[in-house]
């Protein structure tokens, strides 16, 4: 229970960062195109994780030395050789996972950045949050079971997102369609993380996926947008927020926590980014919440609690 609560809180923290990052993404588009913004923020997210990886590796070596781990005799040498073989296999899985997650992440973030230019923030928040419905649907295709309470939670969350985010009649424009594609692709990213994260080191996986995302985004950036250094410097604050916090911290929290959570429940927790986007707008920009929006927040929180009940029941039975 304590561990589950910890992972839930960490993933909610990621949702808080993502929600408030909508402001950074919107401001950043005043200076840079979508591919330029994604390229720079992705490389920043990857770079900020390198010292974290170095520090964790150093701590691991120190613990091994303190425990007196030595390879003095033949038996220890065999164990070390077996460990090296296992590390090589894990390395291949890590590179494969980083490449797959990076490609999917590139598609989803690019579609979102492009869509934000042509639709309202309210519609973008609602449509993006549809991954909470798409994830369990894709999970069924992949053979994952979804409980009745989780489905009820998904329904409540979708209704809550509608009440929270939609302020005018719903219609599919170009921007809406691009963000809808983003929701579909981000659902695939959640499932990809769910597959690879239990097999490899989460921080390394996150670092590689951002590096891949930055490299792929660099091609359309150079060919189509060709930003000047002055534009990047002008956008340093939104880039720093989106790169260090939204990419480096939040996506890493997603990878670390998701291995311990059901992907549908994880998607519900991550959908709180829309709630936090509205709440941070209320706190920072002094925007007011209507009764309808407050009801939407209540429904989303109720959906998250309800979706976790099957997990708790399983734990009690075990």
């Amino acid at each position: 229970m304590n561990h589950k609560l910890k992972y839930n809180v960490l993933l909610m923290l990621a949702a808080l960062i993502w929600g408030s990052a909508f402001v950074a993404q919107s401001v950043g588009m005043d200076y840079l195109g979508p591919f330029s913004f994604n390229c720079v923020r992705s490389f920043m997210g990857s770079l900020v994780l390198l010292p974290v990886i170095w520090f964790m590796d150093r701590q691991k070596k120190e613990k091994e030395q303190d425990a007196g781990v030595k390879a003095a005799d033949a038996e220890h040498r065999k164990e070390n050789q077996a460990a090296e073989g296992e590390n090589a296999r894990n390395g291949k899985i890590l590179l494969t996972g980083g490449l797959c997650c990076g490609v999917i992440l590139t598609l989803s973030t690019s579609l979102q950045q492009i869509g934000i230019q042509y639709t309202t923030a309210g519609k973008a928040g609602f449509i993006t949050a549809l991954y909470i419905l798409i994830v369990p649907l894709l999970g069924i295709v992949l053979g994952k079971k979804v409980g009745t309470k989780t489905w009820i939670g998904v329904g409540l969350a979708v209704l809550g997102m509608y009440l929270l985010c939609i302020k005018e009649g719903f219609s599919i424009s170009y921007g809406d369609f691009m963000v809808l594609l983003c929701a579909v692709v981000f659902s695939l990213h959640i499932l990809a993380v769910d597959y690879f994260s239990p097999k490899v080191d989460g921080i390394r996986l996150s670092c590689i996926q951002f590096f891949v995302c930055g490299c792929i985004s660099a091609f359309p950036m150079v060919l189509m947008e060709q930003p000047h250094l002055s534009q990047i410097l002008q956008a340093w604050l939104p880039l720093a927020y989106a790169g260090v916090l939204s990419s480096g911290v939040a996506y890493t929290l997603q990878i670390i926590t998701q291995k311990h959570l059901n992907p549908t429940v994880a998607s519900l927790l991550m959908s709180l980014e829309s709630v936090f986007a509205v709440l941070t707008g209320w706190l920072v920009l002094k925007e007011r919440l209507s009764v309808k929006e407050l009801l939407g927040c209540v429904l989303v929180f109720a959906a998250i609690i309800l979706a976790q009940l099957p997990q708790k029941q399983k734990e009690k039975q075990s």
Side-chain angles (χ1 to χ4, degrees):
M1 278 297 297
N2 290 334
H3 287 295
K4 288 288 184 183
L5 179 61
K6 179 181 72 174
Y7 296 129
N8 289 344
V9 170
L10 289 175
L11 198 52
M12 287 176 65
L13 176 60
L16 171 60
I17 296 172
W18 283 329
S20 56
F22 268 102
V23 177
Q25 290 177 253
S26 179
V27 173
M29 295 296 290
D30 293 337
Y31 305 99
L32 296 170
F35 296 108
S36 300
F37 189 85
N38 281 336
C39 176
V40 178
R41 72 176 285 193
S42 296
F43 280 131
M44 290 177 69
S46 181
L47 289 172
V48 79
L49 292 178
L50 291 178
V52 177
I53 294 172
W54 175 83
F55 179 75
M56 292 184 66
D57 286 346
R58 184 177 179 181
Q59 276 194 325
K60 183 179 179 181
K61 289 180 180 180
E62 289 177 354
K63 288 180 180 179
E64 289 177 350
Q65 291 174 356
D66 293 339
V69 178
K70 298 179 180 179
D73 51 32
E75 185 176 348
H76 284 146
R77 291 194 190 96
K78 290 181 181 179
E79 291 178 356
N80 284 344
Q81 289 175 356
E84 289 176 359
E86 183 67 23
N87 289 335
R89 286 190 293 271
N90 290 340
K92 292 180 181 179
I93 297 174
L94 176 63
L95 290 176
T96 302
L99 181 61
C100 290
C101 292
V103 170
I104 299 173
L105 184 65
T106 304
L107 289 174
S108 64
T109 54
S110 298
L111 288 168
Q112 186 182 63
Q113 284 295 129
I114 293 171
I116 286 176
Q117 299 177 97
Y118 303 100
T119 189
T120 64
K123 281 189 178 182
F126 173 71
I127 298 171
T128 302
L130 286 177
Y131 61 72
I132 67 176
L133 181 60
I134 299 171
V135 166
L137 291 175
L138 292 176
I140 291 176
V141 176
L142 297 175
K144 292 182 178 289
K145 294 182 179 180
V146 178
T148 303
K149 291 182 180 179
T150 300
W151 277 115
I152 296 174
V154 168
L156 285 174
V158 171
L159 178 58
M161 290 297 175
Y162 180 85
L163 294 174
L164 178 63
C165 298
I166 296 298
K167 293 180 174 61
E168 67 276 342
F170 184 84
S171 62
I172 295 294
S173 65
Y174 174 75
D176 296 335
F177 182 69
M178 297 301 283
V179 179
L180 179 59
L181 289 179
C182 163
V184 175
V185 178
F186 190 67
S187 301
L188 296 175
H189 183 262
I190 292 174
L191 295 175
V193 170
D194 180 64
Y195 177 79
F196 286 107
S197 60
K199 306 177 188 297
V200 297
D201 178 74
I203 297 179
R204 279 183 165 81
L205 178 63
S206 186
C207 182
I208 293 174
Q209 78 165 354
F210 290 130
F211 181 76
V212 171
C213 183
C215 289
I216 297 176
S217 299
F219 288 100
M221 177 189 75
V222 173
L223 295 175
M224 300 168 58
E225 297 172 353
Q226 301 176 350
H228 298 288
L229 180 60
S230 59
Q231 294 174 287
I232 297 175
L233 293 177
Q234 285 179 313
W236 74 268
L237 186 56
L239 280 171
Y241 191 91
V244 176
L245 289 179
S246 182
S247 296
V249 176
Y251 276 104
T252 301
L253 287 176
Q254 176 201 355
I255 289 176
I256 292 174
T257 57
Q258 215 185 298
K259 69 174 69 176
H260 303 284
L261 299 172
N262 178 280
T264 300
V265 175
S267 68
L268 283 165
L269 286 168
M270 286 185 284
S271 71
L272 278 172
E273 68 175 289
S274 294
V275 178
F276 288 128
V278 175
L279 291 177
T280 50
W282 173 54
L283 292 172
V284 178
L285 303 177
K286 307 302 180 184
E287 297 175 349
R288 293 184 178 181
L289 289 174
S290 66
V291 174
K292 186 184 76 168
E293 291 169 332
L294 287 172
L295 179 59
C297 291
V298 171
L299 286 176
V300 172
F301 278 106
I304 290 168
I305 294 173
L306 183 62
Q308 293 180 72
L309 290 179
Q311 300 294 323
K312 295 178 180 179
Q313 289 175 354
K314 287 180 181 179
E315 286 178 2
K316 290 179 181 179
Q317 291 173 357
S318 60

